[in-house]
Amino acid sequence: MSDDRETDTASESSYQLSRHKKSPSSLTNLSSSSGMTSLSSVSGSVMSVYSGDFGNLEVKGNIQFAIEYVESLKELHVFVAQCKDLAAADVKKQRSDPYVKAYLLPDKGKMGKKKTLVVKKTLNPVYNEILRYKIEKQILKTQKLNLSVWHRDTFKRNSFLGEVELDLETWDWDNKQNKQLRWYPLKRKTAPVALEAENRGEMKLALQYVPEPVPGKKLPTTGEVHIWVKECLDLPLLRGSHLNSFVKCTILPDTSRKSRQKTRAVGKTTNPIFNHTMVYDGFRPEDLMEACVELTVWDHYKLTNQFLGGLRIGFGTGKSYGTEVDWMDSTSEEVALWEKMVNSPNTWIEATLPLRMLLIAKISK
């Protein structure tokens, strides 16, 4: 591993909880201080993304597609044929660079989004692509299919051009007519809730649990958790084409300033490479059940930091040291990474995880 880590930076902190174990009162302070509080700053940035990406262009035009469930493959096939009369992102030249994105809601995280290629310089793009979802029919009948059309500009920023939603619960799968290509008018986004489905980018990282940092010691030592933040991919742009991002790490439930570490800021790219390793010591095996690594990505601009997205990596049990906490809410992918780390000590476990909206725990002094 050493060769590709010549350039990385490293920082160390202690996982403070072991100090607090004895007195239950200090523990409740910890969990209440990390209650979901500083919501205003986060929701503020949500609205700016919302107006930035959704409000600029009128919604017009139509999309032609067909859906079919292929029993033999247990797959939903969405055949995206074409769009016509889309709004022009480039008003002067009367053209856009559109692509189509599909989600199954509400399980968008599990199924992931599917995208067509971008067709450049047109308001009438032809795709003729099949987007496939591996899914049992019973589950499919609980979903909505959301197809949205987006313009992607040279800075990889996306502007919303319209969407169509089909309720698959009421869809007649046996009707032959329903397998034919059909035109649907594009509609506006119904509500900012749709932002949740919007892409916040991904983080590539690796974790390692080192149970005995100093082998051969007679006394029982505590272990370390190593967090190697490699890079982020496709971060959202909140201020035109500018971005100056950094990653902050806190090990919950310890929200003290001592527990916080951060990378340097990397400017002018939506795919920043950080290569920063953070080391937290003071972990006993039982602490791994109760702690959660919160990684958040921020855009630093003048005197403010805007939240872009985050991860919470832990067992996602909803509890920590017997107290119910909001932040133990890891997704299945986040839990899978933590489990692998716990089960394979002294080994780097790598993953690329989608960043998501988090309500950030308040920092105690």
Side-chain angles (χ1 to χ4, degrees):
M1 275 296 178
S2 57
D3 5 356
D4 53 347
R5 302 184 54 210
E6 296 301 342
T7 57
D8 75 359
T9 44
S11 42
E12 299 198 16
S13 296
S14 281
Y15 178 65
Q16 293 294 324
L17 277 187
S18 31
R19 320 268 159 86
H20 298 300
K21 286 300 159 22
K22 305 296 169 288
S23 88
S25 63
S26 61
L27 200 58
T28 46
N29 296 349
L30 270 174
S31 52
S32 60
S33 68
S34 58
M36 300 306 143
T37 29
S38 63
L39 230 144
S40 53
S41 58
V42 179
S43 55
S45 64
V46 172
M47 286 321 292
S48 65
V49 178
Y50 181 67
S51 56
D53 277 348
F54 294 91
N56 297 346
L57 301 173
E58 61 176 323
V59 168
K60 60 196 269 275
N62 299 278
I63 181 169
Q64 188 190 39
F65 68 94
I67 64 173
E68 182 178 2
Y69 187 74
V70 184
E71 296 279 0
S72 56
L73 299 170
K74 298 226 180 311
E75 282 184 354
L76 167 69
H77 287 188
V78 182
F79 180 71
V80 180
Q82 58 183 328
C83 299
K84 68 173 189 209
D85 303 330
L86 294 175
D90 182 336
V91 180
K92 259 205 247 101
K93 294 185 176 156
Q94 274 302 300
R95 63 191 195 191
S96 294
D97 296 345
Y99 70 96
V100 178
K101 184 156 69 173
Y103 278 109
L104 286 179
L105 304 172
D107 285 350
K108 59 175 187 291
K110 293 200 188 89
M111 294 293 158
K113 61 172 185 289
K114 313 278 178 190
K115 291 193 277 206
T116 66
L117 296 169
V118 175
V119 177
K120 297 210 155 162
K121 302 181 181 173
T122 177
L123 302 179
N124 303 298
V126 175
Y127 299 102
N128 290 334
E129 284 188 54
I130 297 177
L131 307 176
R132 297 177 167 83
Y133 287 93
K134 196 97 176 136
I135 184 170
E136 295 286 338
K137 195 156 188 191
Q138 284 345 95
I139 298 172
L140 190 59
K141 287 180 176 169
T142 64
Q143 304 288 301
K144 287 187 171 71
L145 172 68
N146 176 285
L147 279 187
S148 51
V149 185
W150 297 80
H151 159 73
R152 174 161 242 193
D153 72 13
T154 38
F155 299 112
K156 296 212 163 122
R157 285 180 66 207
N158 300 313
S159 307
F160 178 72
L161 297 175
E163 71 174 15
V164 175
E165 215 160 79
L166 288 189
D167 189 344
L168 302 181
E169 190 180 0
T170 54
W171 189 257
D172 183 353
W173 295 97
D174 302 321
N175 183 343
K176 287 269 189 316
Q177 296 267 268
N178 274 348
K179 294 179 184 165
Q180 305 298 314
L181 280 171
R182 246 192 232 172
W183 285 101
Y184 297 81
L186 289 167
K187 298 196 161 80
R188 304 176 150 195
K189 272 268 177 261
T190 37
V193 174
L195 177 76
E196 266 294 56
E198 229 348 79
N199 189 3
R200 291 179 173 272
E202 300 176 310
M203 184 186 296
K204 188 174 178 182
L205 73 165
L207 298 187
Q208 176 173 217
Y209 171 52
V210 182
E212 286 184 50
V214 189
K217 267 210 172 165
K218 289 287 181 288
L219 290 167
T221 59
T222 55
E224 294 177 347
V225 171
H226 297 210
I227 300 153
W228 178 7
V229 176
K230 296 187 174 187
E231 59 186 309
C232 290
L233 308 160
D234 280 339
L235 290 178
L237 288 159
L238 302 189
R239 344 174 243 121
S241 56
H242 301 285
L243 187 62
N244 185 28
S245 58
F246 67 94
V247 179
K248 195 153 62 174
C249 182
T250 306
I251 308 274
L252 299 169
D254 180 6
T255 54
S256 67
R257 292 192 180 274
K258 284 198 205 85
S259 139
R260 270 181 299 164
Q261 299 188 32
K262 60 182 188 202
T263 67
R264 69 191 188 290
V266 175
K268 299 187 176 149
T269 174
T270 53
N271 301 307
I273 295 173
F274 297 105
N275 247 343
H276 183 111
T277 309
M278 309 180 188
V279 175
Y280 286 87
D281 64 11
F283 274 92
R284 303 169 315 170
E286 58 268 36
D287 293 325
L288 295 170
M289 277 307 293
E290 315 294 343
C292 173
V293 174
E294 182 178 84
L295 289 163
T296 48
V297 187
W298 301 81
D299 178 19
H300 177 67
Y301 178 60
K302 294 188 175 161
L303 296 172
T304 62
N305 293 324
Q306 266 202 320
F307 176 75
L308 297 177
L311 304 172
R312 286 212 183 103
I313 303 164
F315 279 121
T317 54
K319 282 197 169 114
S320 174
Y321 298 107
T323 307
E324 285 194 20
V325 290
D326 296 345
W327 46 259
M328 260 298 192
D329 64 349
S330 302
T331 63
S332 51
E333 289 174 277
E334 291 164 348
V335 172
L337 172 59
W338 191 248
E339 275 178 355
K340 273 190 202 151
M341 178 203 78
V342 171
N343 295 333
S344 331
N346 303 311
T347 313
W348 283 109
I349 307 295
E350 190 178 359
T352 300
L353 299 176
L355 295 167
R356 57 191 178 98
M357 183 69 218
L358 298 179
L359 300 182
I360 306 299
K362 196 173 175 69
I363 300 301
S364 58
K365 292 293 174 283

